[in-house]
């Protein structure tokens, strides 16, 4: 079986052994991504450059071949790239992990008496930084916008070489999580198989970055649900022996997520899952009290959650180390219209047996289920969260 390997992509970078600090790695990947963008524009039909300039809001007639340069020398500042089109000059400043700095933009603008400066970042909120300058020659686009527009161009293009180069670039943007979330792929799950072959954790870190994008876009979709407005995304650290990655949408501060109900998400070699997790001693104890005192309402809520599971686990810490708790399943209940008062009484009897326990109400999908690989899975995820809104309110002791 041929496993996913990002190095097969013509643009994917090699993370050298000397790049151990995050700032160094950010610089490397930013330089490589700018170079990849320039290589694509330089080796494709002129229509792609026109498309790029259009999404940046730049109207320049292209009458002869453009000239490209990287790490432009000879200026008071050093933009990442330059495109010269006749007498017109377009400079590019790109960001991936590092922040967009106003002072750096000021230096670039001072060094560019004529021409345009295009800033490209992954963050929509950076538009505010650009707007504060109120300069016509200063433009802003996101990598997601570049991805979407280049993908549209590729779909309509009939030029084989251009389409190959663009496809490789789009795949590269996906690999570094600069693309819109388009579903979970086979390679995402395979990253957690045979982890001995991934000593630098690069395959798993790629999935982690994709996870961040998934949660960011999901947060945007469910923002109109009143009880979810304040939720903040966070993704767990990938250790050398990690066989899964988890993420949360949680009321801030995220650092004490264990002490409050929160949305939990996970990907491992076999499945994707999402649900509401209640695990700390205090929130679990409060939930037990809510269930006992409002069992009829709890039954009514569970009846509406067709296809979801309620999983009860005893919480153990065999090592005694802080934050080393994990759960051992003691009950799994399939939810829906068949749930009865007797089922909830049984749930109460089980959680009463343990001083420490945790509850998850959610749903999971096996890696081979078609729904995971579709772009619509993001909307489906938002729909699942909305179905859980009444359960979420109940877990906080709120009225419906």
């Amino acid at each position: 079986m041929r496993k996913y390997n990002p190095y097969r992509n013509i643009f994917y970078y090699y993370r050298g052994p000397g790049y151990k600090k995050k700032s160094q790695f950010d610089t490397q990947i930013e330089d490589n991504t700018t170079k990849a963008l320039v290589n694509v524009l330089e080796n494709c039909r002129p229509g792609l450059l026109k498309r790029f300039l259009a999404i940046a809001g730049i109207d320049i007639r292209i009458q002869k071949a453009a000239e490209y340069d990287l790490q432009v020398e000879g200026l008071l500042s050093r933009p990442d790239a330059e495109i010269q089109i006749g007498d017109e000059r377009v400079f590019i400043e790109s960001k991936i992990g590092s922040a967009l700095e106003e002072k750096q933009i000021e230096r670039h603008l001072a060094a560019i008496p004529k021409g345009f400066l295009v800033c490209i970042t992954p963050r929509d909120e950076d538009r505010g930084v650009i707007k504060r300058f109120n300069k016509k020659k200063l433009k802003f686009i996101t990598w997601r916008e570049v991805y979407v527009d280049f993908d549209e161009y590729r779909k309509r293009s009939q030029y084989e070489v251009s389409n190959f180069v663009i496809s490789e670039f789009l795949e590269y943007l996906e690999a570094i999580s600069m693309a819109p979330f388009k579903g979970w792929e086979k390679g995402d799950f395979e990253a957690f198989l045979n982890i001995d072959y991934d000593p630098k954790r690069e395959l798993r870190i790629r999935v982690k970055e994709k996870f961040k994008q998934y949660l960011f876009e999901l947060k945007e979709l469910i923002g109109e649900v009143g009880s979810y407005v304040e939720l903040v995304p966070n993704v767990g650290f990938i250790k050398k022996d990690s066989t899964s990655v988890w993420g949360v949408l949680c009321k801030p501060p995220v650092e004490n997520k264990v002490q409050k109900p929160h949305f939990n998400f996970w990907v491992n070699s076999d499945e994707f899952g999402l649900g509401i997790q209640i695990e700390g001693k205090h929130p679990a104890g409060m939930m037990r009290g809510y269930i006992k005192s409002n069992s009829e309402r709890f039954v009514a809520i569970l009846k509406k959650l067709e296809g979801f599971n309620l999983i009860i686990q005893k919480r153990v810490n065999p090592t005694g180390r802080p934050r080393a708790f994990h759960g051992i399943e003691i009950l799994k209940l399939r939810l829906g219209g068949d749930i009865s008062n007797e089922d909830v009484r049984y749930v109460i009897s089980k959680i009463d047996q343990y001083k420490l326990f945790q509850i998850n109400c959610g749903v999971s999908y096996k890696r081979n289920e078609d729904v995971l690989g579709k772009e619509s899975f993001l909307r489906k995820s938002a729909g699942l969260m909305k179905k859980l809104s009444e359960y979420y309110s109940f877990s906080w002791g709120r009225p419906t």
Side-chain angles (χ1 to χ4, degrees):
M1 177 175 64
R2 187 182 186 187
K3 296 187 179 299
Y4 173 81
N5 186 339
Y7 293 114
R8 294 192 181 101
N9 183 278
I10 63 174
F11 294 114
Y12 198 77
Y13 57 94
Y14 171 68
R15 183 176 180 176
Y19 289 92
K20 295 181 180 179
K21 294 182 179 179
K22 185 180 185 301
S23 59
Q24 291 176 313
F25 185 41
D26 285 343
T27 300
Q28 184 191 27
I29 194 173
E30 283 170 3
D31 290 348
N32 188 79
T33 306
T34 307
K35 179 179 180 297
L37 172 63
V38 167
N39 289 157
V40 171
L41 293 173
E42 196 170 20
N43 289 284
C44 287
R45 305 287 294 184
L48 186 65
L49 176 58
K50 290 181 182 178
R51 189 101 184 193
F52 174 75
L53 295 174
I55 61 174
I58 298 174
D59 184 15
I60 296 176
R61 290 187 64 189
I62 303 176
Q63 295 179 310
K64 61 180 181 179
E67 297 180 4
Y68 299 85
D69 198 4
L70 293 165
Q71 297 292 320
V72 186
E73 300 287 353
L75 297 174
L76 298 175
S77 64
R78 193 169 71 169
D80 295 318
E82 177 191 4
I83 307 171
Q84 184 152 358
I85 308 163
D87 295 330
E88 299 283 0
R89 302 172 80 186
V90 178
F91 297 91
I92 295 173
E93 179 62 37
S94 75
K95 300 294 181 184
I96 298 295
S98 57
L100 188 62
E101 299 176 1
E102 291 190 24
K103 289 185 178 179
Q104 185 183 38
I105 296 173
E106 288 173 358
R107 291 195 300 271
H108 288 338
L109 292 174
I112 304 171
K114 292 181 64 178
F116 297 90
L117 175 63
V118 181
C119 296
I120 313 176
T121 85
R123 295 169 291 273
D124 285 291
E125 56 267 30
D126 285 338
R127 293 183 195 277
V129 177
I130 301 303
K131 286 181 179 179
R132 286 196 288 273
F133 282 90
N134 194 27
K135 299 283 187 180
K136 289 185 178 180
K137 65 179 178 180
L138 180 59
K139 306 295 183 180
F140 175 81
I141 51 178
T142 66
W143 286 112
R144 287 167 64 188
E145 289 173 321
V146 172
Y147 180 98
V148 170
D149 238 65
F150 280 25
D151 192 29
E152 284 297 317
Y153 178 89
R154 180 185 60 83
K155 289 175 182 176
R156 298 176 184 179
S157 171
Q158 298 179 350
Y159 297 99
E160 186 175 345
V161 173
S162 291
N163 289 350
F164 169 75
V165 175
I166 296 170
S167 294
E168 289 288 296
F169 180 62
L170 297 180
E171 184 182 278
Y172 167 74
L173 290 181
E174 291 172 8
I176 63 170
S177 298
M178 292 297 112
F181 179 81
K182 301 180 73 175
W184 296 105
E185 302 169 344
K186 183 180 178 183
D188 300 326
F189 299 97
E190 286 182 351
F192 298 99
L193 285 171
N194 301 320
I195 61 174
D196 290 342
Y197 294 101
D198 187 28
K200 294 182 180 179
R201 303 169 295 157
E202 289 182 280
L203 299 181
R204 287 168 288 167
I205 289 174
R206 183 192 69 84
V207 181
K208 173 187 173 179
E209 294 303 313
K210 183 173 182 177
F211 214 148
K212 286 182 181 178
Q213 184 65 31
Y214 165 77
L215 290 180
F216 172 79
E217 294 185 40
L218 182 57
K219 165 62 179 170
E220 289 185 329
L221 278 180
I222 52 91
E224 74 275 11
V225 179
S227 58
Y228 297 164
V229 170
E230 57 187 340
L231 297 182
V232 175
N234 183 247
V235 177
F237 182 69
I238 296 289
K239 300 178 182 178
K240 184 178 180 180
D241 60 348
S242 293
T243 56
S244 65
V245 60
W246 58 263
V248 300
L249 284 170
C250 177
K251 287 181 63 175
V254 177
E255 290 73 21
N256 69 345
K257 62 185 176 298
V258 172
Q259 301 306 323
K260 53 200 168 191
H262 59 271
F263 281 91
N264 188 42
F265 306 79
W266 67 93
V267 170
N268 58 34
S269 63
D270 188 51
E271 67 178 6
F272 168 89
L274 72 84
I276 295 174
Q277 180 84 350
I278 303 170
E279 54 189 291
K281 181 179 180 180
H282 175 71
M286 295 297 291
M287 185 64 168
R288 172 164 45 198
Y290 298 150
I291 295 172
K292 287 183 175 181
S293 60
N294 299 278
S295 61
E296 291 294 332
R297 181 184 164 206
F298 192 58
V299 170
I301 291 172
L302 299 188
K303 281 181 174 290
K304 299 176 185 177
L305 296 175
E306 196 71 48
F308 288 78
N309 294 307
L310 188 72
I311 298 175
I312 312 293
Q313 298 176 315
K314 65 177 180 178
R315 202 159 179 251
V316 298
N317 184 353
T319 65
R321 295 195 306 270
R323 300 184 180 181
F325 285 92
H326 67 272
I328 299 175
E329 186 175 312
I330 58 174
L331 173 64
K332 183 174 183 179
L333 195 62
R334 187 74 168 175
L335 306 182
D338 292 335
I339 289 292
S340 65
N341 291 333
E342 184 60 34
D343 291 322
V344 171
R345 282 194 290 271
Y346 184 62
V347 168
I348 294 171
S349 72
K350 296 300 289 184
I351 59 180
D352 274 344
Q353 295 177 30
Y354 300 95
K355 184 177 180 180
L356 297 177
F357 64 95
Q358 56 194 43
I359 305 175
N360 184 280
C361 181
V363 63
S364 64
Y365 298 91
K366 291 298 182 182
R367 57 182 285 179
N368 59 351
E369 293 190 51
D370 290 341
V371 65
L372 290 172
K374 296 181 178 179
E375 192 171 346
S376 60
F377 185 70
L378 193 68
R379 294 192 299 273
K380 183 173 182 63
S381 299
L384 293 170
M385 285 187 67
K386 289 175 182 178
K387 287 181 180 180
L388 286 166
S389 61
E390 194 173 353
Y391 181 97
Y392 184 72
S393 295
F394 183 91
S395 69
W396 284 91
R398 298 170 183 160
T400 304

